[in-house]
Amino acid sequence: MIKKCLFPAAGYGTRFLPATKAVPKEMLPILTKPLMQYGVEEALSAGITNMAIVTGRGKRAIEDHFDNAFELESQLSGTSKESYLKDIKEIIKKSTFTYVRQKKMLGLGHAILTGEPLIGDEPFAVVLADDLCDCDEDGVISQMIEVYNQYQCSVIAIEEVPMNQTSKYGIIAGNLVDNSDDTYRVTDMVEKPKEESAPSNMAIIGRYILTPDIFNILKSIRPDKNGEIQITDALLVQAKQSKVIAYKFKGRRFDCGGIEGFIQATNYFAKKQGII
Ligand code: G1P
């Protein structure tokens, strides 16, 4: 049973400066909804109600968003505008939010390790809110939980990217698992390789199911050349020690950590909702 979802949300969002000077990048909206809310909704739709958020300085807007706003609510109460808050109030009612601050930006692996006190000794999901996913039926985390239930090991979501984009992602190599066309047993994994040294074009996207032994592995991982501890390196150790499954998810992903993907997502959801 996966009960908790970890949201690393301590990054500076430098690609969106100056917008992210005082506003966390996770709070930038696609239409009227912050990126973070899409991620929380995806976790909730997978039956997860415990949201564990790794924040940092300047991120308090995230906590305020997922809390009651009595003054605003009483102002809008009984008016036609009350409906605007219906969805977020429902999310707040259904979920528990816990927070821990990452004191230094030392990479995604370090952010996940910072979340250990919120997770404890159980398997958990990880959502990077700036990878925004839209699926026809089950969300990506729901799809991954099904894979986890079958294999009982860490699961990472992947998608094929053009070879000239490998340096933006963790890239895996793997062997298709018998009788499957979307599930690979990972044999290798490299963080942001150049096209020439990439083991494939299968890129890790910001969705993981991790078994809790990952925390001890992360503690033993050495920082990379930029001084960052990478989750990709820890997952490679896990793949070698035991097993890691890569799953080609069904759906669309937008890289909202960059302006191009952000605009594409905005257009996509605006069209989907008949706004443009
Ligand atoms: C992180 C991971 C990378 C993964 C990516 C997905 O990189 O380190 O392996 O492919 O998320 O979005 P970041 O985008 O934080 O640089």
Side-chain angles (χ1 to χ4, degrees):
M1 193 54 184
I2 308 284
K3 298 186 301 240
K4 295 180 181 173
C5 185
L6 187 72
F7 294 85
Y12 293 127
T14 43
R15 278 182 281 173
F16 280 95
L17 282 170
T20 45
K21 185 161 175 269
V23 175
K25 67 170 174 167
E26 295 78 12
M27 293 304 293
L28 296 178
I30 299 293
L31 307 185
T32 56
K33 206 155 67 178
L35 284 169
M36 190 74 180
Q37 190 176 329
Y38 286 91
V40 168
E41 287 176 357
E42 184 182 321
L44 265 178
S45 74
I48 297 175
T49 53
N50 192 320
M51 313 298 166
I53 304 181
V54 180
T55 65
R57 283 181 294 283
K59 298 279 185 166
R60 273 170 50 187
I62 298 176
E63 293 175 49
D64 290 338
H65 186 74
F66 294 106
D67 195 1
N68 295 319
F70 293 113
E71 201 179 321
L72 178 65
E73 284 160 32
S74 77
Q75 281 282 334
L76 301 189
S77 172
T79 74
S80 58
K81 292 179 182 159
E82 202 174 1
S83 61
Y84 296 148
L85 294 175
K86 189 170 160 279
D87 290 352
I88 183 67
K89 283 178 75 171
E90 200 59 31
I91 291 170
I92 293 165
K93 207 159 97 191
K94 286 186 188 154
S95 327
T96 304
F97 293 88
T98 57
Y99 298 89
V100 62
R101 281 196 186 206
Q102 187 182 9
K103 294 178 199 130
K104 280 186 182 171
M105 302 301 131
L106 296 174
L108 179 57
H110 181 263
I112 291 174
L113 187 54
T114 303
E116 184 181 14
L118 306 181
I119 299 295
D121 190 23
E122 57 184 283
F124 61 103
V126 177
V127 168
L128 307 186
D130 52 13
D131 269 341
L132 177 53
C133 295
D134 188 55
C135 304
D136 289 339
E137 289 167 22
D138 289 347
V140 184
I141 290 292
S142 295
Q143 296 175 36
M144 293 172 78
I145 288 178
E146 271 192 41
V147 178
Y148 170 79
N149 287 340
Q150 199 177 344
Y151 296 97
Q152 302 287 320
C153 67
S154 290
V155 180
I156 54 185
I158 51 164
E159 79 173 2
E160 291 191 45
V161 296
M163 277 311 281
N164 63 8
Q165 306 257 311
T166 57
S167 62
K168 289 167 64 181
Y169 302 96
I171 301 290
I172 69 131
N175 300 322
L176 266 176
V177 173
D178 291 345
N179 304 322
S180 132
D181 58 1
D182 54 15
T183 314
Y184 297 79
R185 183 161 179 169
V186 173
T187 53
D188 196 10
M189 216 182 276
V190 191
E191 181 66 8
K192 304 196 173 97
K194 290 197 184 112
E195 184 173 353
E196 311 81 75
S197 51
S200 79
N201 69 335
M202 291 191 286
I204 303 170
I205 68 140
R207 299 289 183 280
Y208 308 76
I209 305 284
L210 300 175
T211 52
D213 55 312
I214 201 75
F215 292 126
N216 274 339
I217 299 175
L218 278 167
K219 285 170 199 160
S220 70
I221 293 294
R222 285 166 168 266
D224 66 7
K225 59 180 186 316
N226 301 317
E228 297 194 338
I229 294 173
Q230 297 300 346
I231 188 65
T232 308
D233 295 339
L235 281 161
L236 181 58
V237 172
Q238 218 180 28
K240 289 188 170 154
Q241 278 176 359
S242 47
K243 183 168 58 177
V244 171
I245 294 287
Y247 166 67
K248 213 184 264 180
F249 72 100
K250 292 173 188 62
R252 286 198 64 162
R253 177 195 69 104
F254 298 94
D255 176 6
C256 294
I259 291 167
E260 198 185 325
F262 194 91
I263 294 169
Q264 283 166 355
T266 303
N267 283 330
Y268 172 86
F269 283 100
K271 279 196 190 120
K272 198 172 168 180
Q273 293 185 22
I275 295 167
I276 55 170

